[in-house]
Amino acid sequence: LCCCEYVDRRGERSHLAACCCDCQDLDQSCERWLTCRSLPPGALERIADTVADRVRVPWFAGAVKINLSLVPPLLLLPVFLHVAALHFLLGLVILTSLPAVLLWYYYLTHRRKERTLFFLSLGLFSLGYMYYVFLQEVVPRGHVGYSQVVALTCGLILMLAALSRAKKDPGYLPIPPSNEKSSHQGLPNKSSVRGSSNGFHGVSASGTASGRAVNGEAKGYSRVSAEEPEGVKRDWCAKCQLVRPARAGHCRLCGRCVRRLDHHCVWINSCVGEQNHQAFILALSFFMLTSVYGITLTLHTVCRGRTPFVALFYCPGAYSDYSSALSFTCVWYCAIVTAGMGYILLIQLLNISYNVTEREARLALRDNTGRRLLGGLVIDTGQYNRGFLCNWGHFLSLGSSPPQRSAEDIV
């Protein structure tokens, strides 16, 4: 393949120059629209799939497909921020509507069980663009020192390093090779499970699962199907066809079981589990410190003589020139994002202090087995809580010990 050729989703050889040619679904839909007839079922979905397949860029071994969810933040974020900097009322409308749009898109993709790179693209591009505005609009004013720029840059680099580590394997349980082809079949018979020397109890005779999907729990699971001699409970996952260790869970977005599953984070497009939970907390902490520091430096430059908190709500000269208005708008955008991430970090720290994962908290709320503490910010299940110091010691030791062997390996 040359740099502009590719093999499309139908397995046919195509070229970038033919991106607007030969779309039968589009032609049929336009013809029906002109003749005032209804579109055939699934026509819009097929057109969207064709468009997504043809959006590619030239590359050495053939054109590379671009994920469309990466594009909107790159195009819309600078436009919205520059428009918001034109007037105070425009900034108020845009900055208050952005969180609502993000929440709507999150619940839309979460309900459809879709993975998306939109939030990861938005987060990374927001960091880069805010850093660019800081260097272009704030630093030239002469009120920010060289050492302060270096400190902000180091914080950004450390946050990206922690984020890169959090993007790696969260602790996926390996799927046995013998069960890969039968991963979507029913539960195994009772004799295959009861025959183990580990004392695992067999699946119920009905062979069916609860059929519920709560916080990443895929449908079709048989809850608590085993117990080790030490009293550690294990579950059977019908999707992955394996016995899960204690506190592991199945992510319906990733389609894998994860050790000590906390939740699926859309901002990193990955699960947060035993292997990357520490890096996730570290990335959030570095982000909070860097963001608050950058906001403080910008407000000290744009609103001279006022404390950062007062300047955030009262800065009379912010819209005197476009440069100050853009900087002030970016500060408010960073403040909104920082407030959201700060809430996530607070919940995570409280959950760690009580040794409970987000998944366990939601399951406890569903089953009414947990206690609401601190105004409902944390749900204490009481199952793994061993005190503040022991809980944090357990969290800091995550990933240091080798993973437990699966039931299939033992059998």
Side-chain angles (χ1 to χ4, degrees), residues 77-238:
L77 182 62
V79 174
F80 285 157
L81 291 178
H82 280 275
V83 172
L86 295 176
H87 194 272
F88 170 75
L89 293 179
L90 287 174
L92 183 63
V93 171
I94 291 177
L95 292 177
T96 53
S97 61
L98 278 179
V101 174
L102 291 179
L103 288 175
W104 170 80
Y105 184 73
Y106 167 75
Y107 285 114
L108 180 65
T109 55
H110 188 73
R111 186 175 66 250
R112 295 180 179 177
K113 304 177 185 178
E114 297 177 355
R115 296 190 67 180
T116 176
L117 294 175
F118 175 85
F119 296 97
L120 178 61
S121 174
L122 177 62
L124 294 178
F125 184 68
S126 296
L127 289 174
Y129 192 71
M130 294 303 105
Y131 186 68
Y132 168 78
V133 172
F134 180 80
L135 295 180
Q136 289 293 114
E137 306 294 342
V138 179
V139 175
R141 293 173 177 265
H143 300 292
V144 178
Y146 177 77
S147 59
Q148 294 172 320
V149 176
V150 172
L152 186 69
T153 305
C154 290
L156 186 62
I157 293 174
L158 290 175
M159 192 220 67
L160 291 176
L163 183 63
S164 176
R165 175 61 187 87
K167 280 284 296 174
K168 294 182 180 179
D169 181 15
Y172 291 123
L173 290 173
I175 299 178
S178 59
N179 293 333
E180 287 181 353
K181 295 183 180 180
S182 59
S183 60
H184 296 288
Q185 296 178 0
L187 295 172
N189 54 37
K190 290 187 281 186
S191 60
S192 62
V193 179
R194 289 181 177 175
S196 67
S197 58
N198 235 13
F200 291 108
H201 300 291
V203 185
S204 61
S206 60
T208 58
S210 62
R212 295 182 180 178
V214 179
N215 188 31
E217 284 292 319
K219 296 180 179 180
Y221 290 152
S222 175
R223 295 294 302 162
V224 186
S225 60
E227 185 171 352
E228 287 187 336
E230 294 84 359
V232 179
K233 294 182 179 180
R234 288 172 173 257
D235 296 339
W236 172 261
C237 177

Side-chain angles (χ1 to χ4, degrees), residues 141-144 297-307 311 315-316:
R141 293 173 177 265
H143 300 292
V144 178
L297 292 177
T298 304
L299 289 177
H300 275 312
T301 302
V302 176
C303 305
R304 303 290 296 173
R306 290 181 173 84
T307 60
C315 185

